[in-house]
Amino acid sequence: MIFVRRYVPAAIGVGTIVPLVKDKSKNLNDIDNYRPITLIPVISKIFEHVLLSLCEEQIVSDDLQFGFKHGLCCNEAIFALRTTVSHFTAAGSSVYLAALDIRKAFDSVHHDKMFDSLISTGVPDVIVNILRHWYSILRVNVKWGSRCSQFFYCVQWCPPR
């Protein structure tokens, strides 16, 4: 029905943010010492997998990308880096490395540009519009100990095209 109506039920767009301490030996009053995780309904996770499977061919990433890929993790990235550095240093070459910290990159994603990118890669309009609607209804609360905040919306409205 979501595909027929192009409407995501409100219950799919609800989550609870739980801040987890990164390092208990550090300052517990420092917001940077917490990693927020969002608990979402199981049906939301299932729907994410359905959408991803429908768009697998259009959403292609570079072979050198290790994050957010099935079966790949930091260990493979570290192995590739070490192998590359060893290869070039063994040949007497210098190796220069640049690192980019994009921990909060998602916080600054311009959603309209993201949706435009999905359309330009061939993701069907119906799926992009479903995602637009889903993003427009995302709301969460924050759970701290046994208390929960009121729900609030996560993003501003991105009208369908």
Side-chain angles (χ1 to χ4, degrees):
M1 287 307 294
I2 290 172
F3 289 97
V4 171
R5 302 270 185 214
R6 293 181 170 90
Y7 174 84
V8 180
I12 289 182
V14 175
T16 297
I17 297 173
V18 179
L20 298 180
V21 176
K22 291 179 185 177
D23 187 344
K24 291 182 182 181
S25 67
K26 292 188 177 178
N27 183 357
L28 297 180
N29 293 323
D30 181 4
I31 196 167
D32 290 327
N33 192 25
Y34 289 86
R35 179 181 67 246
I37 62 162
T38 304
L39 306 175
I40 61 173
V42 172
I43 191 69
S44 298
K45 206 67 181 156
I46 293 168
F47 188 57
E48 285 177 7
H49 285 283
V50 168
L51 289 177
L52 186 58
S53 68
L54 291 172
C55 301
E56 254 179 332
E57 291 179 18
Q58 290 86 9
I59 301 175
V60 179
S61 62
D62 191 284
D63 289 338
L64 297 176
Q65 177 181 330
F66 291 90
F68 305 104
K69 280 192 165 179
H70 182 70
L72 294 177
C73 64
C74 288
N75 292 337
E76 284 82 4
I78 292 168
F79 174 77
L81 176 64
R82 284 186 175 167
T83 303
T84 302
V85 170
S86 295
H87 171 79
F88 285 102
T89 55
S93 179
S94 297
V95 176
Y96 300 95
L97 176 72
L100 178 63
D101 181 359
I102 57 170
R103 280 181 291 193
K104 297 184 181 190
F106 182 77
D107 299 341
S108 61
V109 169
H110 188 284
H111 295 134
D112 281 331
K113 289 182 182 178
M114 177 182 69
F115 296 133
D116 289 344
S117 293
L118 290 173
I119 290 170
S120 70
T121 61
V123 174
D125 289 348
V126 63
I127 292 177
V128 174
N129 286 331
I130 288 170
L131 288 171
R132 280 182 193 277
H133 181 255
W134 196 359
Y135 269 63
S136 75
I137 64 167
L138 291 177
R139 56 190 192 101
V140 295
N141 66 349
V142 178
K143 183 174 183 183
W144 185 260
S146 61
R147 310 233 17 207
C148 289
S149 72
Q150 292 183 342
F151 280 91
F152 56 92
Y153 285 93
C154 299
V155 297
Q156 66 187 64
W157 168 247
C158 297
R161 293 189 172 179

